Amino acid sequence: ARIPSHPSEHPPQAASPIFEKMKKAAEAARETKVGQAAEDAKDETEELQSYLISAIAASTEGLMLKSHASKINVVSRGKGWLKLKKDYIEGMSDSLDCVVLGAWRGSGRKSKWYSPFLVGVKNAEGEYGSICRVMSGFTDEVYQKLYDKFSKLIVAAKPYGVSTEENAIWFDLEHSEGWEIKGADLTLSPKHPACNSFMSEGTHVGIGLRFPRFIRAREDKALGDASTAEMVMKMYNAQFE
């Protein structure tokens, strides 16, 4: 069914791989017998994009789409469901280079691997403060590779210089690795103490990255070149400028 258009005098502009792919498919089919259907799909894509940006502007997580054939299940998301979030829109996301601090054993299909992973950034005093849990963006092949590597780096207790309210399986930081992480936005967090040193004295909050997604391992960078708390704080403040 066609999604109703959202009234707006100035429709928002954004570029996203999923939207661009649909537009290209519509353009390629325009001169064929399915050209009209392609034009309809293009119109609906633009309307959907407008709805997504409007939903984000209203401080929601995004949109959930479902096929007519998929039944509603309050416990889990069906196969005919698709989640669209803010970090799917290019240009609205923050990218950070974070250090892997620890992880948890996965559940369900991921029980044979680690998922999620805990990552953090270093402050001026050399202490790592956690900034988010990451469990999106990994292929099964990457999950297995990471499990094989980090299983050999487990340490008995939280490493010295790690600050977090989380309780994870901890890894040897000297042999850990940095990851590029993209998220929706940066927000105040009572759980993750990254940037806490920039907060008012006695304030027990830090900065957390919402809806984080693994992009790649930064094998081209040393851990000392990862994003710092100062960089994160500047990015957080820039959101309000």
Side-chain angles (χ1 to χ4, degrees):
R2 186 182 179 87
I3 298 176
S5 61
H6 183 80
S8 176
E9 295 182 3
H10 304 286
Q13 301 294 319
S16 171
I18 188 171
F19 295 135
E20 290 302 319
K21 188 175 293 185
M22 293 177 69
K23 287 182 180 179
K24 288 181 180 179
E27 292 171 359
R30 190 172 298 143
E31 302 301 324
T32 70
K33 61 182 180 180
V34 295
Q36 185 58 51
E39 287 296 324
D40 291 342
K42 181 178 179 181
D43 291 341
E44 292 187 1
T45 297
E46 293 174 349
E47 291 172 6
L48 178 59
Q49 180 169 312
S50 177
Y51 262 89
L52 176 57
I53 297 178
S54 296
I56 297 301
S59 298
T60 68
E61 293 187 6
L63 298 176
M64 182 69 77
L65 311 180
K66 67 176 289 294
S67 69
H68 288 294
S70 179
K71 295 182 179 180
I72 295 178
N73 187 332
V74 296
V75 178
S76 62
R77 189 168 76 218
K79 293 183 179 179
W81 293 57
L82 175 65
K83 182 185 292 184
L84 294 180
K85 299 189 296 187
K86 180 177 178 179
D87 55 327
Y88 294 171
I89 304 178
E90 186 177 341
M92 295 180 67
S93 301
D94 298 300
S95 181
L96 299 170
D97 290 332
C98 304
V99 174
V100 182
L101 308 176
W104 292 262
R105 286 303 297 259
S107 60
R109 189 183 69 83
K110 300 178 182 179
S111 60
K112 55 187 175 181
W113 302 310
Y114 295 124
S115 180
F117 287 87
L118 183 67
V119 300
V121 295
K122 184 183 288 188
N123 61 25
E125 290 71 39
E127 182 179 72
Y128 284 100
S130 67
I131 193 168
C132 64
R133 294 185 179 193
V134 187
M135 59 186 302
S136 178
F138 303 100
T139 63
D140 289 359
E141 181 181 0
V142 171
Y143 265 130
Q144 186 61 54
K145 179 180 178 181
L146 294 175
Y147 179 79
D148 293 341
K149 173 176 181 174
F150 284 101
S151 291
K152 301 174 183 178
L153 301 181
I154 295 176
V155 293
K158 183 171 66 176
Y160 176 78
V162 170
S163 176
T164 182
E165 295 297 317
E166 302 278 25
N167 185 20
I169 298 171
W170 302 108
F171 302 135
D172 178 2
L173 294 185
E174 290 187 10
H175 298 91
S176 187
E177 60 185 34
W179 290 352
E180 181 181 0
I181 304 295
K182 179 176 284 189
D185 54 20
L186 294 161
T187 184
L188 294 177
S189 171
K191 180 176 292 186
H192 298 296
C195 303
N196 176 261
S197 59
F198 293 95
M199 305 298 174
S200 301
E201 186 175 352
T203 303
H204 300 290
V205 296
I207 299 296
L209 181 64
R210 294 202 314 151
F211 310 125
R213 182 191 301 169
F214 171 83
I215 302 300
R216 58 172 173 153
R218 294 305 308 260
E219 298 177 353
D220 58 323
K221 279 190 173 184
L223 294 183
D225 297 326
S227 300
T228 64
E230 182 178 5
M231 293 168 58
V232 172
M233 197 66 209
K234 288 181 179 179
M235 293 169 70
Y236 172 78
N237 289 329
Q239 296 177 141
F240 308 100
E241 295 177 354

